[in-house]
Each structure stands twice: as C-alpha cells, then as structure tokens.
Amino acid sequence: MRIHLQNPDNEPLFDFSRAMWEAAAARAPDIGVGHDVSIGATPADFVAAMREAEALVTDASVIAAHFPCPAPQLKLIFLTNAGLDKLAPFGWLPPGVALLNNRGAHAAKSGEFAIMSILMLANRVPAMVTNQRGEIWRKLWGSVLGGRHLTVVGLGTLGAATAEHAARFGMRVTGVRAHPAPHPACVQVVGADAIEDVLPQTEFLVLACPLTAATRGLMSRKRLECLPSGAGVVNIGRGELMDQTALCDLLDQEHLSGAVLDVFTTEPIPPGHRLWSTRNLIISPHTAADDPATYNPHSLDIFLENLRAWRDGRSLPNRFDIARGY
Amino acid sequence: MRIHLQNPDNEPLFDFSRAMWEAAAARAPDIGVGHDVSIGATPADFVAAMREAEALVTDASVIAAHFPCPAPQLKLIFLTNAGLDKLAPFGWLPPGVALLNNRGAHAAKSGEFAIMSILMLANRVPAMVTNQRGEIWRKLWGSVLGGRHLTVVGLGTLGAATAEHAARFGMRVTGVRAHPAPHPACVQVVGADAIEDVLPQTEFLVLACPLTAATRGLMSRKRLECLPSGAGVVNIGRGELMDQTALCDLLDQEHLSGAVLDVFTTEPIPPGHRLWSTRNLIISPHTAADDPATYNPHSLDIFLENLRAWRDGRSLPNRFDIARGY
C-alpha cells in the first residue's frame, strides 16, 4: 500500500521518523511490511504525496490546512488526535474515505494524569499552590482516596483508564455515559440524563468525554452547583463541556475546593484572563494526554491494527463516527 | 489499666474523643475493654492524670511542654507521631517507661502523597504551576511512569508504601536503607553507603527515612548534583535530610526539573524565604502523612495492638529505639 506520513509543523517532538515506522512494522510483520511509505514535512511534500497515497497518517492541523484537496487514491485517513471536534463539519472528507482517530493512544498517559489530579484534589494541592503564591503556611488536611466518591463522565479510553486507576485506589466510581452499561471499575453507570442525580454525592468529578452537540455545556452552572461543598473538578475532555465562568465563581466562593483543568474554551488562555489567577485552580496547558516517549509508537501500532482490519474486510476499530462525533 | 489520652492544643481536628476510644475498643475487645480511660485537654487535666496513669497516649508537643514531670505509675507512652527527632535527646523519658511511636499510621496517606508527587513530577506539574504564576502558556511534555527509575530512601512504613504504589505503576524501584534486604516492590535494595552508585540512574528520588545522626544531610549538594539532568525530588521525611539551598540552586539552574517538598529545615517557612518562590518547587505544609478522617482510629488500633503485646509479654511492635533514632 502507498502510505504517507505527514508531520505537522507545530511540534517536532511528535514527528514520525523512518525508524519509528520500521520499528512498528517489525512489531506487526503480518501487516507492517511491503508498503511504499513516505514521510513529509512541508506543504510541497504533502501535495506531491497526495497524488498517489492510499493511506494518510497525520494530525488535525494538517487536515485543517490542506483539505479539501485532490487525493484520488486515498482510502484511509488516520489522525493522531482522539477528539476531532475542531474538524467539524466534515464536508472536507473525500467521499468513500474512512476517517480514523487515535482512540486508545491516550489511555495510559491520560489515566495517570487523571488519577494524579484526583490525588492532588484529595491532598488539597490546588489550595497549597494558591497559598504558596501568597507565602502563606497553612495546614490543609487531605484524606486518602479509599471509599470516596468519584464520578467520571465518559467511559471511553480516557474515562475507563481513570475509573480503573480510581478503583485500584479503593474509590467508589460512578460512570456517566450516553448509553449506560455496567463497567468493571464502576459501582454504577448511569445515563447522561441522570447526571443530576449523582452530582450531589460526587466528591470528585472528572470530565473525560468527547465534545459533541450532546455534551457541549454539559456541566452548566446549575449542575456545577449540584456538587457538594468541598468537591473537586478535573477536566481532561474539552473546555466547552463546562461553564468555565461558573467554575471560577464556585472556586472563588470556596464552594468547590479545587480544580485541575487541562482544557479550556480558548487555548492558549489569553494573558490577563481570570483563569490564570483563580484560587485553587491548577492549569495544565492541554498536555494531559500526550507522551512524546510513547505516543508515536503507540499511534503507529493502532494504525497498523486498523490497516489489518481493513485488509481483512473487518470493521475498523478506530473509525470515527461523524454522526456521533466520536 | 489506667489510660490517659491527652489532646494537644494545636489542632482540634486531630483530638481524641470518647466515641473514638470506644469504637477502637470495640474493634479489639480482647484488649480494648475494662480500662479506666480519661481524656484531657488542659495542662491541669494532664498533671492530674499523670498521678495515676499507667499509659499515656498523646503527641510530641505535649511531651515537649510537660516532661520531665512526676508520673509514678507510668509504663507506656504512645505518641501519635512517627518521627520523634524533635524530642531528642531522650533524657526526659522516665526510667523503665517504654516509648512507642505511631509507625504504620501514616502508610496509606503518605504512600498516596508520594505517588501523587511522583506523578506530578512525571507530568511536569511543578513547572506548570510556575508558568501559571507568570501567565505563561507553554506546553511541557510529560511521560508515563512505566519503566522509569525511582529511588526511595528509607523502606519503613512511608518508603514501603511509596515503593508499592510505584511498582503498581510499573516503575523500576531502587530502595536505599541502612540494612539492605530484598523488598518485593524493589528491583534492588542497596545500603546507604551505596547511594552515590544509584543516583546517576535516578529519575525520581523520594526521601522517606527518619532523621537520625546517620541521615542528617544525607542528600548533600554533591549528591544532589549526582542526579541526572531532569530528575525530580520528593521529600516526605524531614527537611534536614537534604541540603535545601543546594536543591533550590539546582532547580533555579534547571538541572532538576521539579520538586515536591512536605518538610523543611525551618517550619513554618519564614515569609520572604527563597523556598516560597523557587521555580518548579511545590510546597506542602508538612501535611503529607496526616489524614483527619482516618488518623485517630488508626492510631488507637496501633496503640491497642501494642498494649496486647505488652500484656502478653511480647516485644512491642512500635517501640522506639532511642539508639537508632526510629
């Protein structure tokens, strides 16, 4: 197959190399070898490769910059992103081309980021950091995770990894998802329409779902106010899942004890924005899911797994469902 | 037995109550019932109780305020602290009285604090927090813990809990202790005299040992410089284990990528002290080990376990060894 890997120009740390491809091919020799593989970095590389490429491996920024464009042989696009909300609507996708996302590549890193964030909230780290800014030595008592109530919104790759870590720490995990079904790490899983029933018992809330028409604004001010006093919030999904202003208000009022956010409605956060200095709020610059040490090898493994399914005529595990939005 | 519980006046959250005692006694009915138990809060309560008390349960601040003092019936002192370095030298201890510390009560909370701190270093949270102070949005890439090198100094209650969490995350853990012996969570355990051999491969260093004559200044400037570029440091032991100034220098020079410290050579840290604003340093106000929700019940369980051993003429599991210093 004619495969083109196009590196975006935003972050050389995440560039694909020939050696990475060959290592991935060696890990999956039944599907990885015998292809004609090119790697590009410039717009000219991209345009030239698209004349013949049957599969394209790249990220959303390259799609946004180049599509729609002529790509007469293209059958598969594999993007190294999980959330593709920024590429909607999907009219740019050539008819008949399968769009694949990188669902699964973020599980390990995101799961560790989420359990770290929960531990930080349980140990009052956001408040400690706020106190440190003011040179204030004030003992704030935390508690262990065992037996405490966590609600995870979304039980896809990110949410499931979060729930599994939390269960290992003895937490009581409630899952919230569009189509509820039991999950081994959760004591209960409820539908999105029942979220208001579980919020009053939620000590820690983790948002780990994709941004879709159904989830935009999911955590409204009213719902954030349903959380009990002292609760903490983590967002590793998308900024637009939550009313960011309401969150800041509830932190300022000390109704919520802390928050760790990796995603924001505007990124980068503009200078002078209230988020930078809201008390008991930790800002992570949208890096929770990404791990340069493992990301590209893992992404190529996922791509090759999908290529195998495509060759064998099976359904593609990472096919992006445009109607659902994930 | 005549048992007196004296609450210190520094933190009402950690006060013993009659209900707590009775719950602990009910958990261990073979040893917990049939005692004459008093609970005191004022100096007058203390002095009155010491005329008859055979066992005293209290904390180091009460000892420092009252001993030496007449306590003619006293046989056991159980302190709710683990590290008793601030009570040295131990000339205040009445002859024949067994001194017990609270070794074991801190395992769960300290272990979670330590693995949280390691995750924070792996995810670059100390640097994110420094950037947030300056309203700087800068992506800093972290990585998962699997396969990475952690060195834990001290494999007592705190260090063992740390090593066990880390092993569960797939880390390669090296233990350092005075008398090395294999540990199931460690790939190797070396003696304190071999610490310089393991520092160059240490990505994360956790200090979790007691402060003794042998460990004071253990992490000198020279040894901190042995850590590889980008390493991170956690201290949940005592501030005096480490050259705090050298640590700040190495953070300022970005030789070390971050630190999470719970203990300091002077506590509270004075206003204006360099520690407050050293880059990539997170300050926790000596709260890592303490959990108001579980601490007192757990402490009483440990006290009763020791009381049972004392009744049965066995050696006391929590007996403090004055010569060793822990």
Side-chain angles (χ1 to χ4, degrees):
Chain A
M1 195 179 214
R2 178 73 185 83
I3 299 171
H4 181 67
L5 284 62
Q6 177 78 20
N7 288 319
D9 58 5
N10 50 9
E11 182 49 81
L13 251 184
F14 287 93
D15 278 357
F16 288 106
S17 66
R18 179 70 56 180
M20 276 178 205
W21 170 265
E22 284 171 4
R27 285 192 295 275
D30 70 298
I31 185 65
V33 298
H35 301 293
D36 176 10
V37 177
S38 56
I39 300 181
T42 66
D45 293 341
F46 181 82
V47 170
M50 281 306 98
R51 290 189 202 114
E52 300 177 341
E54 298 170 86
L56 168 65
V57 175
T58 191
D59 87 346
S61 72
V62 170
I63 299 294
H66 289 286
F67 274 87
C69 68
Q73 306 300 321
L74 202 60
K75 294 171 183 70
L76 296 172
I77 297 177
F78 177 83
L79 298 181
T80 57
N81 315 78
L84 304 188
D85 45 280
K86 288 205 163 45
L87 296 179
F90 291 85
W92 56 266
L93 185 67
V97 173
L99 181 63
L100 308 172
N101 74 358
N102 203 1
R103 186 166 53 241
H106 305 83
K109 179 67 166 57
S110 297
E112 290 192 8
F113 186 93
I115 194 68
M116 170 196 81
S117 301
I118 295 164
L119 285 162
M120 286 170 66
L121 292 168
N123 281 279
R124 307 293 312 276
V125 171
M128 287 177 188
V129 163
T130 298
N131 286 341
Q132 184 176 345
R133 261 186 241 163
E135 304 198 351
I136 297 164
W137 178 277
R138 183 181 298 150
K139 289 188 185 271
L140 297 166
W141 307 108
S143 193
V144 295
L145 298 188
R148 301 179 78 186
H149 288 257
L150 167 68
T151 297
V152 181
V153 180
L155 286 176
T157 302
L158 275 56
T162 303
E164 283 154 16
H165 279 295
R168 231 169 284 137
F169 278 88
M171 300 190 86
R172 295 175 57 81
V173 184
T174 294
V176 178
R177 67 187 313 180
H179 305 287
H183 187 283
C186 298
V187 295
Q188 62 174 342
V189 179
V190 303
D193 51 351
I195 191 168
E196 287 177 23
D197 299 337
V198 301
L199 292 175
Q201 286 80 48
T202 298
E203 294 174 88
F204 305 94
L205 176 71
V206 174
L207 301 181
C209 59
L211 178 65
T212 67
T215 63
R216 184 177 296 271
L218 180 80
M219 285 308 295
S220 60
R221 180 179 295 268
K222 173 171 162 260
R223 286 179 169 172
L224 284 167
E225 287 172 348
C226 289
L227 288 165
S229 174
V233 173
V234 179
N235 191 356
I236 55 171
R238 283 288 185 266
E240 295 88 343
L241 298 173
M242 184 161 60
D243 181 336
Q244 207 172 252
T245 302
L247 180 84
C248 290
D249 289 344
L250 291 166
L251 287 166
D252 276 341
Q253 295 156 17
E254 299 196 322
H255 177 70
L256 297 175
S257 68
V260 181
L261 305 184
D262 184 58
V263 288
F264 307 89
T265 52
T266 303
E267 298 176 9
I269 300 170
H273 193 286
R274 171 183 186 185
L275 281 163
W276 289 116
S277 52
T278 294
R279 59 188 290 110
N280 306 344
L281 170 61
I282 303 264
I283 289 173
S284 163
H286 203 148
T287 50
D290 301 318
D291 179 353
T294 62
Y295 195 72
N296 279 342
H298 201 161
S299 298
L300 290 176
D301 290 346
I302 294 173
F303 169 66
L304 287 172
E305 184 192 334
N306 280 270
L307 198 61
R308 185 185 291 115
W310 188 79
R311 178 196 66 190
D312 299 346
R314 289 182 284 115
S315 69
L316 305 179
N318 283 59
R319 185 147 194 172
F320 183 81
D321 183 325
I322 290 175
R324 284 194 315 182
Y326 59 94
Chain B
M1 194 177 215
R2 179 73 186 84
I3 299 171
H4 181 66
L5 284 64
Q6 178 77 21
N7 288 320
D9 59 3
N10 50 10
E11 182 49 79
L13 251 184
F14 288 93
D15 279 357
F16 288 106
S17 66
R18 179 68 57 179
M20 276 177 204
W21 170 265
E22 284 171 3
R27 285 193 295 274
D30 71 299
I31 185 65
V33 299
H35 302 292
D36 176 9
V37 177
S38 56
I39 300 180
T42 66
D45 293 340
F46 181 82
V47 170
M50 281 306 98
R51 293 192 198 111
E52 300 178 341
E54 298 170 85
L56 169 65
V57 176
T58 191
D59 86 347
S61 71
V62 170
I63 300 295
H66 289 286
F67 275 87
C69 68
Q73 306 300 322
L74 201 61
K75 295 171 183 71
L76 296 171
I77 297 177
F78 177 83
L79 298 181
T80 56
N81 316 79
L84 304 187
D85 45 281
K86 288 206 163 44
L87 296 179
F90 291 84
W92 56 266
L93 185 66
V97 173
L99 181 63
L100 308 171
N101 73 358
N102 204 2
R103 185 166 55 239
H106 305 83
K109 179 67 166 56
S110 297
E112 290 191 7
F113 186 93
I115 194 68
M116 170 195 80
S117 301
I118 295 164
L119 285 163
M120 285 169 66
L121 293 168
N123 281 280
R124 307 294 311 275
V125 171
M128 286 177 189
V129 164
T130 298
N131 286 341
Q132 185 176 346
R133 262 188 240 161
E135 305 198 350
I136 297 164
W137 178 277
R138 183 181 298 148
K139 287 186 186 274
L140 297 165
W141 307 108
S143 194
V144 295
L145 298 188
R148 301 179 77 186
H149 288 257
L150 167 68
T151 296
V152 181
V153 180
L155 285 177
T157 302
L158 275 55
T162 304
E164 283 154 16
H165 279 296
R168 231 169 284 136
F169 278 88
M171 300 190 85
R172 296 175 56 82
V173 184
T174 294
V176 178
R177 67 187 313 180
H179 305 286
H183 187 283
C186 298
V187 295
Q188 62 174 342
V189 180
V190 304
D193 51 350
I195 191 168
E196 287 177 21
D197 299 337
V198 301
L199 291 175
Q201 287 79 47
T202 298
E203 293 173 89
F204 305 94
L205 175 72
V206 174
L207 301 180
C209 60
L211 178 64
T212 68
T215 62
R216 185 177 294 272
L218 180 81
M219 285 308 296
S220 60
R221 180 178 295 270
K222 172 171 163 260
R223 285 179 170 174
L224 284 167
E225 287 172 348
C226 289
L227 289 165
S229 175
V233 174
V234 179
N235 192 355
I236 55 170
R238 283 290 184 264
E240 295 87 344
L241 298 173
M242 184 162 60
D243 182 337
Q244 208 172 250
T245 303
L247 180 84
C248 290
D249 289 344
L250 290 166
L251 287 166
D252 277 341
Q253 295 155 17
E254 299 196 321
H255 176 70
L256 297 175
S257 68
V260 181
L261 305 183
D262 185 58
V263 288
F264 307 90
T265 52
T266 303
E267 298 176 9
I269 300 170
H273 193 287
R274 171 184 187 186
L275 281 164
W276 288 116
S277 53
T278 294
R279 59 188 290 109
N280 306 345
L281 169 60
I282 303 265
I283 289 174
S284 164
H286 202 147
T287 51
D290 302 317
D291 179 353
T294 62
Y295 194 72
N296 280 342
H298 201 163
S299 299
L300 291 175
D301 290 346
I302 293 173
F303 168 67
L304 288 172
E305 184 192 334
N306 280 270
L307 199 62
R308 185 186 290 115
W310 187 79
R311 177 195 67 189
D312 298 346
R314 289 182 283 116
S315 68
L316 306 178
N318 283 60
R319 185 148 193 169
F320 183 80
D321 183 326
I322 290 174
R324 284 196 313 182
Y326 59 93

